Amino acid sequence: MQGRFEKRADVGIIWVDNPPVNAISVGVRAAIIDGVERLAHDPDIKAGILACEGRTFMAGADITEFGKPPSRPSLGEAIDAIEGCAKPIVAAIHGTALGGGLEIALACHYRVAVASAKVGLPEVKLGILPGAGGTQRLPRLIGVEAALNVIVSGDPLPAAQAAHAGVIDELVPGDLLEGALAFAGKLIANGSPPRKIRDLRVDAARLPPGFFDAARTRLAHERKNLFAPQRIVDALEAAATLPFDQGLARERELFLQCQAGSQAKALQHVFFAERKAGNVPDLDKRVARREVASVGIIGAGTMGGGIAMNFLNVGVPVVLKEMSQDALDRGVGVIRRNYETTASKGRLTLEQVEQRMALLRPTLSYEDLQSADLIIEAVFETMAVKKDVFAKLDAVAKQGAILASNTSYLSIDAIAAATTRPADVLGTHFFSPANVMRLLEIVRGAETAPDVLATVVDLAKRINKVGVVCRNSDGFIGNRMLEGYAYQAQLMLLEGASPEQIDTALRDFGMPMGVIQMSDLAGLDIGYKSRQDRDPETYDGRVTRSADLLVEMGRLGQKTGAGYYDYAPGDRTPRPSPLVAGILADVSRQYGITRRAISSEEIVERCFLALMNVGCEVLREGVAHRASDIDVVYLYGYGFPAYRGGPMFWAENAVGLKSALEKLHHYSARVGDAWFKVSPLLEQLVAEGRGFASIGAGS
Ligand code: T1G
């Protein structure tokens, strides 16, 4: 049993104790049922309190039990025991009451909480829906519309808002237990009976006609391709139209439908993958961290400014350096405007804007960086410039300062070699916009010290990023793999597909943007310039020919109103370009490539299997520690749809590695393996009947 029972005069306290987050394991369920038994049958006891040890109330069902044979007692039995108790039970909430944790609290007859607590039903983020009465009890308490918003968003409500909505009966100002005991005392004094939410009725008459169908249509658009939100509407419709127990049975049906689906498996994979990413296999967790109380950033451009905001947002002072006053003023201006825009949407107060700006110190002098604990360089992406900056940093930065580069593909070891302290150097690759994108690719150099790495892994969580550690290699994890993905798209442009056809297929698959439109957004000149430094033998000139021609025509992409697409002034909508279609046809002819009809299925397979294929090489070379890290990189850095679990998970679970290998061989034979070699790791896994979890720190 993971809990205990405590008797305080005429109140019985059921304590749950399952660190770290009181997940509702079978041991917790047993402790709850045992506790209810005790308080129900002890004549001295007039009321009960359900409370949790540790940092939080129950954070939901134990997700590690999913997919395993059900164990008794079940969550439903624990809930029935609480709700059916003849003596009132008060839930005492601190931390986060989530999922099954809130459902248990809703089965209690009263709820009190500290103001810092949060309550929510995040199941939709796991591809499921609340399966222990949440879809039937919450609408009875707060109405169908409010319940729909809470359950479909999956975001927690702060206790004050929950109290305002009627979920929480009382906010406890001081000590939670004292407050809960006082509340129970009042119930006893007033002879208050147990209140059961199941006895309340849903006021369906208040709903506008066609409410549920309208919700389904809206969610089909807002939550494109997602299964669970649609089932949530079904469950709430049941709450509005069926008696409680029938609604509960309907909820169960819908829960099992979701749980059996591929999206639930993918999203639950993502839940654990995200948490595993912070676990660096060969890094001693006990290594002492370096303090990061102040940060310096070199470069106040788009990336530098965004990176600065991450630290200002969590109260860390930032010294922001630029080369010229104009560039510095421009950078500081963008940061202020970003904050003011957020404030205009009510997500920040003007006071908070000023607090953040007050932590920002612009400078033109390297000297002003000498007291910073961490310095991040975000300057122009050429090795010469990086080496120059790091040599200067080496001269001014204090001993023990961490020196980080925001390079998106250059060698961290080469950059570190420009200093006398390579152990203090690593890569911190943010993704644009850096104040929004959640991924931080942390690149360990050959000499990066363990305490430097451990400090930055912790720092990622502190600035609300998902940190993924990889070893130094061209393009690290994300950009290296992107080349394989983009290569297939570029080649299919020559084989007969149009830019809009490729981008539509990738968007329908769930990507926020197609790769051709993405290259227009990034600017075709970026690739063009980087190719000037590269040996032409290292890339397939056929697929870059059209981009080179476009750049030489001044079609650099969105920023010039024309690239692979045309753009109307002030409008980011990509419009098909007959001129580009002509150029692509010419290049096909030039290289003797026969144009043919290409299906969306082929586009998706070639792009994402190529992505996975390079992912296998990244894994085989040990650049990535585990396949799930690669999934996390693509979800939080490149917008890969979470409900597909990431490129590696998708290939293994939706396609199957054997079938993926066959398809890759098929396409490689067609394309020619000069530029499209199938990864030996994939060959080996299929030959040995193994999966990605068996590689690296996978499982
Ligand atoms: N089950 C099992 N393990 C869990 C867990 C859970 N519900 N929640 C967290 N953990 C583990 C996590 O893997 C990590 O392990 C450690 O706890 C700390 O977590 C019927 C079916 C509560 C906000 O979706 O959102 O109820 O990596 O690093 O940042 O309707 O954890 O250390 O080995 O995330 O402080 C619904 C999930 C379940 C909430 C804390 N509940 N958890 O965040 O710590 S479905 C959820 C969270 C359900 C019912 C249905 C967060 C947190 P490790 P952490 P944190």
Side-chain angles (χ1 to χ4, degrees), residues 20-21 23 55 59-64 66 75 96 98-100 103 122-123 126 128-132 255 271-272 275 461:
V21 295
R55 64 181 164 118
D62 187 338
I63 307 171
T64 62
F66 288 7
L75 179 51
T96 52
L98 300 176
E103 290 172 299
E123 285 85 345
L126 297 170
I128 53 179
L129 50 78
F255 173 84
F271 178 84
F272 289 113
R275 283 152 183 84
K461 215 170 182 182

Side-chain angles (χ1 to χ4, degrees), residues 156 210 225 444 524 582 593 596 629:
N225 295 342
R444 59 195 302 180
L524 303 179
I593 297 174
R596 59 183 173 86
D629 285 359

Side-chain angles (χ1 to χ4, degrees), residues 409-487:
Y409 65 85
L410 294 172
S411 166
I412 292 297
D413 293 334
I415 292 172
T419 74
T420 57
R421 49 176 114 182
D424 299 334
V425 177
L426 82 176
T428 51
H429 178 205
F430 289 79
F431 286 71
S432 184
N435 56 314
V436 176
M437 296 298 282
R438 290 197 58 209
L439 180 67
L440 180 60
E441 217 174 16
I442 301 168
V443 187
R444 59 195 302 180
E447 301 190 46
T448 300
D451 64 336
V452 167
L453 187 58
T455 301
V456 173
V457 168
D458 288 3
L459 188 67
K461 215 170 182 182
R462 197 168 139 205
I463 59 173
N464 304 314
K465 300 293 182 195
V466 179
V468 174
V469 175
C470 68
R471 293 192 188 287
N472 186 39
S473 144
D474 271 0
F476 317 132
I477 296 177
N479 284 343
R480 164 117 178 252
M481 290 170 65
L482 198 64
E483 279 206 9
Y485 170 78
Y487 175 75

Side-chain angles (χ1 to χ4, degrees), residues 132-148:
T135 67
Q136 304 304 302
R137 289 191 174 86
L138 194 63
R140 281 172 163 76
L141 209 49
I142 67 173
V144 170
E145 285 141 305
L148 182 66

Side-chain angles (χ1 to χ4, degrees), residues 313-324:
N313 293 348
V314 294
V316 175
V318 173
V319 175
L320 182 62
K321 181 194 175 307
E322 247 304 348
M323 306 264 282
S324 73

Side-chain angles (χ1 to χ4, degrees), residues 116-320:
S116 59
K118 291 184 176 170
V119 302
L121 295 170
E123 285 85 345
V124 69
K125 297 181 179 177
L126 297 170
I128 53 179
L129 50 78
T135 67
Q136 304 304 302
R137 289 191 174 86
L138 194 63
R140 281 172 163 76
L141 209 49
I142 67 173
V144 170
E145 285 141 305
L148 182 66
N149 294 338
V150 168
I151 302 175
V152 163
S153 79
D155 297 331
L157 292 178
Q161 209 179 323
H164 182 71
V167 177
I168 303 287
D169 295 293
E170 187 171 293
L171 289 180
V172 172
D175 176 76
L176 176 60
L177 186 62
E178 290 315 315
L181 285 165
F183 189 90
K186 273 189 291 183
L187 294 177
I188 295 168
N190 301 336
S192 308
R195 277 180 333 178
K196 299 179 183 177
I197 296 176
R198 68 170 24 243
D199 298 338
L200 301 175
R201 289 185 50 71
V202 172
D203 187 359
R206 285 190 39 222
L207 293 172
F211 172 81
F212 294 105
D213 287 340
R216 289 187 185 94
T217 308
R218 176 172 57 81
L219 290 169
H221 174 69
E222 289 171 8
R223 302 296 173 92
K224 193 177 158 204
N225 295 342
L226 290 181
F227 184 74
Q230 297 293 324
R231 302 296 75 78
I232 290 168
V233 178
D234 298 344
L236 285 166
E237 187 168 29
T241 56
L242 299 173
F244 184 83
D245 289 315
Q246 288 177 40
L248 208 56
R250 178 76 178 126
E251 175 194 86
R252 185 76 194 152
E253 259 174 50
L254 294 162
F255 173 84
L256 293 173
Q257 280 178 26
C258 291
Q259 184 67 329
S262 62
Q263 295 188 358
K265 291 184 181 52
L267 288 162
Q268 289 157 26
H269 160 76
V270 170
F271 178 84
F272 289 113
E274 192 180 320
R275 283 152 183 84
K276 251 190 263 176
N279 194 345
V280 183
D282 57 349
L283 181 64
D284 180 349
K285 288 190 176 55
R286 294 158 302 165
V287 69
R289 284 17 180 204
R290 298 190 189 180
E291 191 195 16
V292 178
S294 62
V295 169
I297 294 175
I298 305 185
T302 311
M303 289 308 291
I307 295 169
M309 292 175 73
N310 290 303
F311 293 96
L312 301 174
N313 293 348
V314 294
V316 175
V318 173
V319 175
L320 182 62

